[in-house]
Amino acid sequence: MKVVHINKGDAGGGASVAALRIHRSLLRAGVDSHILVQEQRRNEENEHVVGTGFIYKMKCLWRFLWERISFLPNEKEKALRFAFSPANTGLSIASLPVIQEADIIHLHWINQGYLSIASLEELFSLGKPIVWTLHDMWPFTGGCHYAGNCLEFNEKCGFCPLLKNPSINDISAKIYQKKKKLFSKANLNIVTCSRWLGSLAKSSSLFRNSPIYSIPNPIDTKFYTILDRAKCREELGLPQNKSLLLFGAANILDTRKGFRYLYEALTILSDSFPSISSKIELVVFGKSKESVEHQFPFKTHSMQFVSDPATLVKLYNACNLFILPSLQDNLPNTVVECLCCGTPVAGFRIGGVPEMIDHNISGYLAEIKNSLSLANGINTVLFTENKNKREDIRESAIKKFDERLIAEKYIEVYESAMKNGTKKIR
């Protein structure tokens, strides 16, 4: 069985991390797994890049820019620019040898100029079984990556709240209909990283008749493991005698990541429990357009963007609690990584997060958009007796996310997809 994973890149962003981990786990399980990317930053086993050279990179940049430029007439506001992908331009990859030789085509995150809807049609026309791991909601909506409170995607999209002039026949409705026509003819097998996303996918008419599996993202539990906390703090230059809170994301000022609620929760803690103010410090990592060191009521250590996984492991081990104030999320890799390092997590009860955190055992689940509830969770985890030790938190995570278990589940999906046979699009 030869499988080819298709993802825009091999680094940068949760989908890239997840796709690469699935690929690695399958290789270790003996599957002939390959990964095809538009942007290559690593040198992974069985990794293929669509093209190389200056001209190729300029064409990739042009596709990315053209998708954005063509969307400008529909853009509601700059902050939402990348919340919607029209997928109106992309690469033609169906004729590549790695695609032609594959028994299974495994899609991941393919937006921002990598694959268009026309590109997907070319792939589907090969008649090969398609497995699609959803890293957000885009595959079953009219273009948005996260729908928020909108449920239009259940039937046909339209009246999209992310567009400047939403209407019954806006661009989201047109894209939805294109997808519906295409998907109805394909041998699609859908995998969601959380049961939450799976239930949403099943409610959409695009995937209502497709088999949907819920398989969490895998993790290398030998790499993400418990280390000596004092030693990690020493190596990172962090204080030994403080309770350290950790917050991080690819872009920490992304509205969806809940920066505002973190600020409010920490302010509540500082005002309501002045006696603990001297005991807490904050550690922040991730991309930010402005300095965050002076925005919080507690002393803050800014680690900037951390690309080295080994440094991340040290960060997780150095801190007492990871805070996830996200307003929408599927199955954040950071949470899995923290738990495997024995570090508890406090976050809102959203998306797939309740499937990861055992409330009051491996962390705390706060009420959605409730800064007071989040503050209470931070205080509870830090200053009350936690029911489980670091080793128990890690062991619970291993039972859910160990890569050997996840690889077995994907192999079962592949075998089922192969039994369903091929389906030519005409």
Side-chain angles (χ1 to χ4, degrees), residues 342-406:
T343 301
V345 180
F348 290 131
R349 196 182 293 271
I350 55 95
V353 176
E355 301 169 34
M356 310 171 78
I357 299 172
D358 296 318
H359 185 58
N360 279 332
I361 297 178
S362 61
Y364 192 94
L365 292 169
E367 297 307 311
I368 301 173
K369 294 186 178 181
N370 189 325
S371 302
L372 178 60
S373 179
L374 184 59
N376 181 60
I378 296 169
N379 183 61
T380 298
V381 175
L382 286 184
F383 299 109
T384 61
E385 185 66 27
N386 197 24
K387 294 180 181 179
N388 277 13
K389 304 299 182 183
R390 293 182 68 190
E391 292 78 8
D392 297 322
I393 293 174
R394 169 177 163 77
E395 187 60 32
S396 178
I398 289 174
K399 291 178 180 178
K400 296 178 183 178
F401 308 113
D402 185 76
E403 63 175 17
R404 290 169 295 183
L405 174 65
I406 305 306

Side-chain angles (χ1 to χ4, degrees), residues 114-387:
Y114 185 21
L115 298 186
S116 63
I117 294 176
S119 306
L120 291 176
E121 185 172 9
E122 290 179 353
L123 286 175
F124 294 175
S125 69
L126 297 175
K128 299 175 185 287
I130 305 293
V131 174
W132 198 340
T133 295
L134 312 191
H135 299 281
D136 57 28
M137 296 173 66
W138 185 86
F140 59 86
T141 71
C144 68
H145 291 276
Y146 284 95
N149 296 323
C150 176
L151 296 175
E152 293 292 326
F153 65 86
N154 283 346
E155 295 301 332
K156 57 182 180 179
C157 274
F159 298 104
C160 178
L162 298 183
L163 301 179
K164 182 190 294 184
N165 299 304
S167 69
I168 191 172
N169 197 35
D170 60 26
I171 188 175
S172 74
K174 294 174 181 177
I175 291 172
Y176 194 95
Q177 289 306 313
K178 287 181 181 179
K179 287 182 177 180
K180 192 167 186 176
K181 181 179 179 181
L182 174 61
F183 294 176
S184 65
K185 302 174 183 178
N187 179 2
L188 284 175
N189 302 268
I190 307 303
V191 178
T192 62
C193 306
S194 66
R195 293 189 296 275
W196 164 78
L197 191 62
S199 66
L200 292 176
K202 193 66 176 177
S203 70
S204 170
S205 66
L206 293 181
F207 291 151
R208 199 165 289 159
N209 297 318
S210 298
I212 298 179
Y213 308 85
S214 179
I215 305 177
N217 294 329
I219 189 168
D220 183 351
T221 55
K222 294 180 180 178
F223 184 78
Y224 290 92
T225 188
I226 295 176
L227 303 176
D228 181 77
R229 178 160 286 164
K231 184 177 180 181
C232 289
R233 290 187 176 192
E234 180 182 359
E235 292 178 1
L236 295 171
L238 297 172
Q240 296 286 356
N241 59 342
K242 301 291 183 180
S243 290
L244 297 181
L245 306 177
L246 182 63
F247 168 65
N251 180 2
I252 63 176
L253 295 182
D254 182 345
T255 303
R256 190 168 56 86
K257 296 302 179 181
F259 184 92
R260 164 195 163 187
Y261 296 95
L262 173 66
Y263 172 81
E264 290 178 357
L266 295 183
T267 301
I268 290 170
L269 272 179
S270 179
D271 293 343
S272 302
F273 305 99
S275 61
I276 69 172
S277 294
S278 60
K279 301 177 183 178
I280 294 178
E281 292 186 8
L282 180 66
V283 182
V284 176
F285 69 92
K287 178 183 176 182
S288 174
K289 292 183 180 179
E290 53 191 80
S291 175
V292 298
E293 287 90 337
H294 307 294
Q295 296 188 36
F296 295 102
F298 302 113
K299 182 177 179 180
T300 303
H301 305 268
S302 179
M303 309 300 292
Q304 304 301 321
F305 186 80
V306 180
S307 59
D308 177 31
T311 301
L312 274 177
V313 173
K314 292 178 184 177
L315 267 178
Y316 296 143
N317 277 276
C319 296
N320 301 86
L321 174 66
F322 181 77
I323 307 176
L324 184 86
S326 296
L327 305 179
Q328 278 195 314
D329 239 323
N330 182 13
L331 201 86
N333 291 316
T334 48
V335 174
V336 180
E337 293 163 0
C338 275
L339 295 176
C340 284
C341 293
T343 301
V345 180
F348 290 131
R349 196 182 293 271
I350 55 95
V353 176
E355 301 169 34
M356 310 171 78
I357 299 172
D358 296 318
H359 185 58
N360 279 332
I361 297 178
S362 61
Y364 192 94
L365 292 169
E367 297 307 311
I368 301 173
K369 294 186 178 181
N370 189 325
S371 302
L372 178 60
S373 179
L374 184 59
N376 181 60
I378 296 169
N379 183 61
T380 298
V381 175
L382 286 184
F383 299 109
T384 61
E385 185 66 27
N386 197 24
K387 294 180 181 179

